[in-house]
Amino acid sequence: MPPTESLTERLARALAAGPSIATQAAAAALAGLRGCDAPGAAAVVARDDELCRLLAAGFGQEAALAARLAELAGAARCLGCGACCRVSSPTLYQEDLALLGPQGPGREHFYTLRAGEEVHSARLGRRQVLEQELIKLCEAPGGACVFLGPGGCAIYDQRPLQCRWLECWSGRHAGQLSGRPRLTRTQAFAGDHTARALAAEFERKLPAARLAGLLAAAAGGDDQAAEEALAVLEQDHGLRAAIGGRYGYGAAELKLLLGRPATAIARAYGLAVELDPDDRPRLRRMT
Ligand code: SF4
């Protein structure tokens, strides 16, 4: 690309090369102008009727194409690029309580991070120990929100407060919600005394902070901690099976009621359970 080439000139060159190259150039231009990621810009270009029409019309439409891209880049609204949804899933606030009700997408799509767990904060860009529990939407493999699909957000009209608050075009970010009360399991299970009692008992028996400490030490090579962590993992598995079997909670709802299974937490430390040659379970560092 010549160093002084304008956007219009670049688009003209791409349009002359054919629709596929032109579409890529339009997405790259939008990503640069708007600051969204490449997959998000490509999705916006593919969904915008005006851009699709201009790209199909080909060479000669470069000025109109550049104008439409500039218009989209400066729009004070969500373009549905999904860039924020790919970073992580949202945390719920008290305003989001209805999402867990019968009109919501289903309780199996939520989970709890317990106080004392060490988690990665996408906003802070580092790991932190949680001082209070968080309820979140589940994530797909790779970390994106489970509701992000090829067509954008599958629950857009019901999306949580954090998603509605965030404005990439204005700089409004999730951290500005930190003063608002977050949703807790006490509220999520307000009408279910048994569930709340089970969660409290589980917390007493298997505090998240103890597991976090053992896993951190085990990941650092402490064999004694690895042995103890393994015992906690077995206890966690047994308690979940017992609670699920006796009270009828499925594995998906247990993620919300009791937090993530200890094996899932161990994976965040790079540790997995495997059987040794004598068929005894042990913790192994994942490569
Ligand atoms: S709920 Fe929708 S808007 Fe919010 S992170 Fe998930 S996909 Fe994105």
Side-chain angles (χ1 to χ4, degrees):
M1 176 178 70
T4 55
E5 194 177 42
S6 70
L7 173 60
T8 307
E9 289 165 338
R10 210 182 325 148
L11 291 171
R13 199 159 45 78
L15 284 168
S20 166
I21 299 288
T23 301
Q24 287 173 30
L30 183 62
L33 291 168
R34 178 81 169 184
C36 50
D37 60 12
V44 173
V45 168
R47 282 201 301 265
D48 187 79
D49 292 343
E50 176 70 359
L51 283 181
C52 290
R53 186 184 67 73
L54 294 167
L55 287 165
F59 187 73
Q61 300 301 319
E62 52 274 11
L65 197 53
R68 179 63 181 158
L69 287 168
E71 184 185 337
L72 286 172
R77 63 180 169 85
C78 174
L79 299 182
C81 74
C84 54
C85 317
R86 266 186 286 282
V87 176
S88 74
S89 70
T91 295
L92 300 196
Y93 291 81
Q94 286 185 12
E95 285 101 315
D96 297 315
L97 180 59
L99 273 173
L100 291 168
Q103 306 303 320
R107 288 187 160 219
E108 68 275 19
H109 297 299
F110 301 87
Y111 72 98
T112 298
L113 291 173
R114 295 190 288 148
E117 282 194 46
E118 189 185 291
V119 298
H120 177 78
S121 164
R123 184 172 62 82
L124 300 176
R126 60 174 166 80
R127 291 181 76 76
Q128 62 169 354
V129 175
L130 291 179
E131 290 177 7
Q132 63 176 114
E133 70 182 36
L134 305 177
I135 295 179
K136 289 175 69 75
L137 274 179
C138 290
E139 287 114 14
C145 175
V146 74
F147 284 112
L148 179 64
C153 175
I155 57 163
Y156 193 78
D157 291 339
Q158 282 188 296
R159 67 198 188 287
L161 171 67
Q162 187 174 314
C163 309
R164 286 180 275 121
W165 177 266
L166 201 142
E167 291 183 355
C168 61
W169 62 92
S170 74
R172 208 165 78 169
H173 60 84
Q176 293 164 328
L177 289 172
S178 60
R180 300 223 191 175
R182 296 205 168 100
L183 191 63
T184 65
R185 284 177 288 176
T186 302
Q187 291 140 355
F189 292 93
D192 188 342
H193 172 75
T194 304
R196 282 183 282 121
L198 287 169
E201 183 63 12
F202 185 84
E203 210 63 52
R204 242 185 324 273
K205 287 186 168 150
L206 294 176
R210 174 156 183 261
L211 178 61
L214 289 172
L215 290 171
D222 183 331
D223 291 341
Q224 176 63 33
E227 284 293 314
E228 290 178 38
L230 196 55
V232 174
L233 259 63
E234 286 175 0
Q235 207 181 347
D236 175 275
H237 180 74
L239 272 176
R240 282 170 195 275
I243 290 171
R246 179 156 181 201
Y247 297 96
Y249 295 106
E253 195 171 12
L254 287 178
K255 284 201 312 279
L256 177 61
L257 179 59
L258 308 177
R260 297 177 296 166
T263 46
I265 298 172
R267 278 197 291 278
Y269 288 83
L271 297 168
V273 180
E274 67 170 17
L275 295 177
D276 71 9
D278 297 323
D279 266 358
R280 287 180 310 221
R282 70 178 178 196
L283 276 179
R284 173 184 61 82
R285 279 201 74 74
M286 296 187 294
T287 48

PDB file of all heavy atoms in Angstrom, residues 107-108 110-111 240 244-245 248-261:
ATOM      1  N   ARG A 107     -31.662 -21.120  33.685  1.00  0.00           N
ATOM      2  CA  ARG A 107     -30.638 -21.031  34.738  1.00  0.00           C
ATOM      3  C   ARG A 107     -29.370 -21.804  34.410  1.00  0.00           C
ATOM      4  O   ARG A 107     -28.337 -21.582  35.013  1.00  0.00           O
ATOM      5  CB  ARG A 107     -31.220 -21.531  36.058  1.00  0.00           C
ATOM      6  CG  ARG A 107     -32.217 -20.553  36.644  1.00  0.00           C
ATOM      7  CD  ARG A 107     -32.648 -20.967  38.019  1.00  0.00           C
ATOM      8  NE  ARG A 107     -33.207 -19.793  38.691  1.00  0.00           N
ATOM      9  CZ  ARG A 107     -33.038 -19.500  39.949  1.00  0.00           C
ATOM     10  NH1 ARG A 107     -32.351 -20.293  40.723  1.00  0.00           N
ATOM     11  NH2 ARG A 107     -33.562 -18.415  40.465  1.00  0.00           N
ATOM     12  N   GLU A 108     -29.478 -22.704  33.454  1.00  0.00           N
ATOM     13  CA  GLU A 108     -28.279 -23.489  33.109  1.00  0.00           C
ATOM     14  C   GLU A 108     -27.224 -22.624  32.421  1.00  0.00           C
ATOM     15  O   GLU A 108     -26.091 -23.068  32.232  1.00  0.00           O
ATOM     16  CB  GLU A 108     -28.654 -24.678  32.217  1.00  0.00           C
ATOM     17  CG  GLU A 108     -29.134 -24.343  30.816  1.00  0.00           C
ATOM     18  CD  GLU A 108     -30.631 -24.025  30.761  1.00  0.00           C
ATOM     19  OE1 GLU A 108     -31.224 -23.721  31.813  1.00  0.00           O
ATOM     20  OE2 GLU A 108     -31.193 -24.075  29.656  1.00  0.00           O
ATOM     21  N   PHE A 110     -26.012 -19.830  33.607  1.00  0.00           N
ATOM     22  CA  PHE A 110     -25.355 -18.959  34.586  1.00  0.00           C
ATOM     23  C   PHE A 110     -24.481 -19.778  35.518  1.00  0.00           C
ATOM     24  O   PHE A 110     -24.721 -20.968  35.717  1.00  0.00           O
ATOM     25  CB  PHE A 110     -26.406 -18.203  35.414  1.00  0.00           C
ATOM     26  CG  PHE A 110     -27.323 -17.360  34.573  1.00  0.00           C
ATOM     27  CD1 PHE A 110     -28.475 -17.894  34.014  1.00  0.00           C
ATOM     28  CD2 PHE A 110     -27.004 -16.037  34.320  1.00  0.00           C
ATOM     29  CE1 PHE A 110     -29.308 -17.119  33.219  1.00  0.00           C
ATOM     30  CE2 PHE A 110     -27.832 -15.253  33.524  1.00  0.00           C
ATOM     31  CZ  PHE A 110     -28.985 -15.806  32.982  1.00  0.00           C
ATOM     32  N   TYR A 111     -23.488 -19.141  36.101  1.00  0.00           N
ATOM     33  CA  TYR A 111     -22.679 -19.824  37.106  1.00  0.00           C
ATOM     34  C   TYR A 111     -22.193 -18.801  38.123  1.00  0.00           C
ATOM     35  O   TYR A 111     -22.250 -17.583  37.896  1.00  0.00           O
ATOM     36  CB  TYR A 111     -21.507 -20.587  36.476  1.00  0.00           C
ATOM     37  CG  TYR A 111     -20.384 -19.725  35.943  1.00  0.00           C
ATOM     38  CD1 TYR A 111     -19.231 -19.510  36.700  1.00  0.00           C
ATOM     39  CD2 TYR A 111     -20.452 -19.138  34.681  1.00  0.00           C
ATOM     40  CE1 TYR A 111     -18.186 -18.735  36.217  1.00  0.00           C
ATOM     41  CE2 TYR A 111     -19.414 -18.366  34.193  1.00  0.00           C
ATOM     42  CZ  TYR A 111     -18.284 -18.162  34.965  1.00  0.00           C
ATOM     43  OH  TYR A 111     -17.255 -17.399  34.479  1.00  0.00           O
ATOM     44  N   ARG A 240     -21.288 -32.754  45.298  1.00  0.00           N
ATOM     45  CA  ARG A 240     -22.168 -32.357  44.181  1.00  0.00           C
ATOM     46  C   ARG A 240     -23.065 -33.518  43.771  1.00  0.00           C
ATOM     47  O   ARG A 240     -24.265 -33.336  43.519  1.00  0.00           O
ATOM     48  CB  ARG A 240     -21.330 -31.913  42.972  1.00  0.00           C
ATOM     49  CG  ARG A 240     -20.786 -30.548  43.105  1.00  0.00           C
ATOM     50  CD  ARG A 240     -19.764 -30.211  42.034  1.00  0.00           C
ATOM     51  NE  ARG A 240     -19.057 -29.026  42.456  1.00  0.00           N
ATOM     52  CZ  ARG A 240     -19.488 -27.793  42.242  1.00  0.00           C
ATOM     53  NH1 ARG A 240     -20.569 -27.579  41.527  1.00  0.00           N
ATOM     54  NH2 ARG A 240     -18.830 -26.750  42.723  1.00  0.00           N
ATOM     55  N   GLY A 244     -26.995 -33.253  44.112  1.00  0.00           N
ATOM     56  CA  GLY A 244     -27.763 -33.377  42.868  1.00  0.00           C
ATOM     57  C   GLY A 244     -28.726 -34.557  42.941  1.00  0.00           C
ATOM     58  O   GLY A 244     -29.900 -34.444  42.565  1.00  0.00           O
ATOM     59  N   GLY A 245     -28.220 -35.693  43.432  1.00  0.00           N
ATOM     60  CA  GLY A 245     -29.046 -36.900  43.487  1.00  0.00           C
ATOM     61  C   GLY A 245     -30.185 -36.770  44.474  1.00  0.00           C
ATOM     62  O   GLY A 245     -31.320 -37.154  44.196  1.00  0.00           O
ATOM     63  N   GLY A 248     -32.325 -33.189  43.433  1.00  0.00           N
ATOM     64  CA  GLY A 248     -32.804 -33.054  42.060  1.00  0.00           C
ATOM     65  C   GLY A 248     -32.213 -31.887  41.280  1.00  0.00           C
ATOM     66  O   GLY A 248     -32.765 -31.500  40.247  1.00  0.00           O
ATOM     67  N   TYR A 249     -31.089 -31.329  41.727  1.00  0.00           N
ATOM     68  CA  TYR A 249     -30.451 -30.267  40.939  1.00  0.00           C
ATOM     69  C   TYR A 249     -29.552 -30.911  39.891  1.00  0.00           C
ATOM     70  O   TYR A 249     -28.752 -31.795  40.205  1.00  0.00           O
ATOM     71  CB  TYR A 249     -29.588 -29.356  41.826  1.00  0.00           C
ATOM     72  CG  TYR A 249     -30.387 -28.567  42.848  1.00  0.00           C
ATOM     73  CD1 TYR A 249     -30.350 -28.907  44.192  1.00  0.00           C
ATOM     74  CD2 TYR A 249     -31.152 -27.486  42.450  1.00  0.00           C
ATOM     75  CE1 TYR A 249     -31.073 -28.185  45.133  1.00  0.00           C
ATOM     76  CE2 TYR A 249     -31.886 -26.757  43.388  1.00  0.00           C
ATOM     77  CZ  TYR A 249     -31.842 -27.117  44.717  1.00  0.00           C
ATOM     78  OH  TYR A 249     -32.565 -26.400  45.633  1.00  0.00           O
ATOM     79  N   GLY A 250     -29.663 -30.458  38.652  1.00  0.00           N
ATOM     80  CA  GLY A 250     -28.790 -30.968  37.599  1.00  0.00           C
ATOM     81  C   GLY A 250     -27.419 -30.324  37.686  1.00  0.00           C
ATOM     82  O   GLY A 250     -27.235 -29.307  38.368  1.00  0.00           O
ATOM     83  N   ALA A 251     -26.449 -30.920  36.973  1.00  0.00           N
ATOM     84  CA  ALA A 251     -25.069 -30.407  37.023  1.00  0.00           C
ATOM     85  C   ALA A 251     -25.019 -28.943  36.603  1.00  0.00           C
ATOM     86  O   ALA A 251     -24.256 -28.139  37.164  1.00  0.00           O
ATOM     87  CB  ALA A 251     -24.174 -31.248  36.123  1.00  0.00           C
ATOM     88  N   ALA A 252     -25.832 -28.574  35.604  1.00  0.00           N
ATOM     89  CA  ALA A 252     -25.793 -27.192  35.103  1.00  0.00           C
ATOM     90  C   ALA A 252     -26.264 -26.226  36.184  1.00  0.00           C
ATOM     91  O   ALA A 252     -25.658 -25.162  36.388  1.00  0.00           O
ATOM     92  CB  ALA A 252     -26.666 -27.060  33.854  1.00  0.00           C
ATOM     93  N   GLU A 253     -27.325 -26.573  36.923  1.00  0.00           N
ATOM     94  CA  GLU A 253     -27.815 -25.654  37.955  1.00  0.00           C
ATOM     95  C   GLU A 253     -26.889 -25.640  39.174  1.00  0.00           C
ATOM     96  O   GLU A 253     -26.792 -24.641  39.890  1.00  0.00           O
ATOM     97  CB  GLU A 253     -29.244 -25.985  38.373  1.00  0.00           C
ATOM     98  CG  GLU A 253     -29.843 -24.820  39.148  1.00  0.00           C
ATOM     99  CD  GLU A 253     -31.327 -24.945  39.421  1.00  0.00           C
ATOM    100  OE1 GLU A 253     -31.896 -26.024  39.212  1.00  0.00           O
ATOM    101  OE2 GLU A 253     -31.905 -23.940  39.854  1.00  0.00           O
ATOM    102  N   LEU A 254     -26.158 -26.743  39.387  1.00  0.00           N
ATOM    103  CA  LEU A 254     -25.212 -26.775  40.503  1.00  0.00           C
ATOM    104  C   LEU A 254     -24.080 -25.768  40.306  1.00  0.00           C
ATOM    105  O   LEU A 254     -23.495 -25.283  41.264  1.00  0.00           O
ATOM    106  CB  LEU A 254     -24.648 -28.186  40.687  1.00  0.00           C
ATOM    107  CG  LEU A 254     -25.617 -29.207  41.296  1.00  0.00           C
ATOM    108  CD1 LEU A 254     -24.965 -30.580  41.373  1.00  0.00           C
ATOM    109  CD2 LEU A 254     -26.093 -28.780  42.683  1.00  0.00           C
ATOM    110  N   LYS A 255     -23.776 -25.447  39.047  1.00  0.00           N
ATOM    111  CA  LYS A 255     -22.745 -24.422  38.777  1.00  0.00           C
ATOM    112  C   LYS A 255     -23.176 -23.072  39.334  1.00  0.00           C
ATOM    113  O   LYS A 255     -22.371 -22.232  39.700  1.00  0.00           O
ATOM    114  CB  LYS A 255     -22.523 -24.244  37.268  1.00  0.00           C
ATOM    115  CG  LYS A 255     -21.732 -25.328  36.597  1.00  0.00           C
ATOM    116  CD  LYS A 255     -21.129 -24.852  35.289  1.00  0.00           C
ATOM    117  CE  LYS A 255     -22.037 -24.124  34.358  1.00  0.00           C
ATOM    118  NZ  LYS A 255     -22.929 -24.814  33.506  1.00  0.00           N
ATOM    119  N   LEU A 256     -24.483 -22.842  39.347  1.00  0.00           N
ATOM    120  CA  LEU A 256     -25.013 -21.597  39.894  1.00  0.00           C
ATOM    121  C   LEU A 256     -25.157 -21.707  41.408  1.00  0.00           C
ATOM    122  O   LEU A 256     -24.768 -20.801  42.155  1.00  0.00           O
ATOM    123  CB  LEU A 256     -26.368 -21.298  39.245  1.00  0.00           C
ATOM    124  CG  LEU A 256     -27.132 -20.079  39.735  1.00  0.00           C
ATOM    125  CD1 LEU A 256     -26.336 -18.796  39.486  1.00  0.00           C
ATOM    126  CD2 LEU A 256     -28.489 -19.975  39.028  1.00  0.00           C
ATOM    127  N   LEU A 257     -25.660 -22.827  41.873  1.00  0.00           N
ATOM    128  CA  LEU A 257     -25.926 -22.987  43.305  1.00  0.00           C
ATOM    129  C   LEU A 257     -24.641 -23.129  44.130  1.00  0.00           C
ATOM    130  O   LEU A 257     -24.501 -22.506  45.190  1.00  0.00           O
ATOM    131  CB  LEU A 257     -26.815 -24.224  43.510  1.00  0.00           C
ATOM    132  CG  LEU A 257     -27.172 -24.562  44.952  1.00  0.00           C
ATOM    133  CD1 LEU A 257     -27.897 -23.403  45.618  1.00  0.00           C
ATOM    134  CD2 LEU A 257     -28.024 -25.824  45.013  1.00  0.00           C
ATOM    135  N   LEU A 258     -23.682 -23.920  43.640  1.00  0.00           N
ATOM    136  CA  LEU A 258     -22.474 -24.219  44.426  1.00  0.00           C
ATOM    137  C   LEU A 258     -21.206 -23.633  43.830  1.00  0.00           C
ATOM    138  O   LEU A 258     -20.130 -23.762  44.411  1.00  0.00           O
ATOM    139  CB  LEU A 258     -22.288 -25.744  44.539  1.00  0.00           C
ATOM    140  CG  LEU A 258     -23.488 -26.552  45.037  1.00  0.00           C
ATOM    141  CD1 LEU A 258     -23.163 -28.037  45.029  1.00  0.00           C
ATOM    142  CD2 LEU A 258     -23.893 -26.101  46.451  1.00  0.00           C
ATOM    143  N   GLY A 259     -21.321 -22.994  42.689  1.00  0.00           N
ATOM    144  CA  GLY A 259     -20.123 -22.507  42.001  1.00  0.00           C
ATOM    145  C   GLY A 259     -19.577 -23.580  41.073  1.00  0.00           C
ATOM    146  O   GLY A 259     -20.134 -24.674  40.967  1.00  0.00           O
ATOM    147  N   ARG A 260     -18.497 -23.220  40.401  1.00  0.00           N
ATOM    148  CA  ARG A 260     -17.921 -24.153  39.420  1.00  0.00           C
ATOM    149  C   ARG A 260     -17.358 -25.394  40.112  1.00  0.00           C
ATOM    150  O   ARG A 260     -16.861 -25.297  41.241  1.00  0.00           O
ATOM    151  CB  ARG A 260     -16.775 -23.480  38.663  1.00  0.00           C
ATOM    152  CG  ARG A 260     -17.203 -22.285  37.854  1.00  0.00           C
ATOM    153  CD  ARG A 260     -15.997 -21.659  37.199  1.00  0.00           C
ATOM    154  NE  ARG A 260     -15.032 -21.130  38.162  1.00  0.00           N
ATOM    155  CZ  ARG A 260     -13.782 -20.783  37.868  1.00  0.00           C
ATOM    156  NH1 ARG A 260     -13.353 -20.897  36.634  1.00  0.00           N
ATOM    157  NH2 ARG A 260     -12.977 -20.303  38.793  1.00  0.00           N
ATOM    158  N   PRO A 261     -17.408 -26.553  39.453  1.00  0.00           N
ATOM    159  CA  PRO A 261     -16.775 -27.741  40.038  1.00  0.00           C
ATOM    160  C   PRO A 261     -15.284 -27.480  40.268  1.00  0.00           C
ATOM    161  O   PRO A 261     -14.647 -26.736  39.518  1.00  0.00           O
ATOM    162  CB  PRO A 261     -16.966 -28.818  38.970  1.00  0.00           C
ATOM    163  CG  PRO A 261     -18.027 -28.319  38.073  1.00  0.00           C
ATOM    164  CD  PRO A 261     -18.013 -26.829  38.141  1.00  0.00           C
TER     165      PRO A 261
END
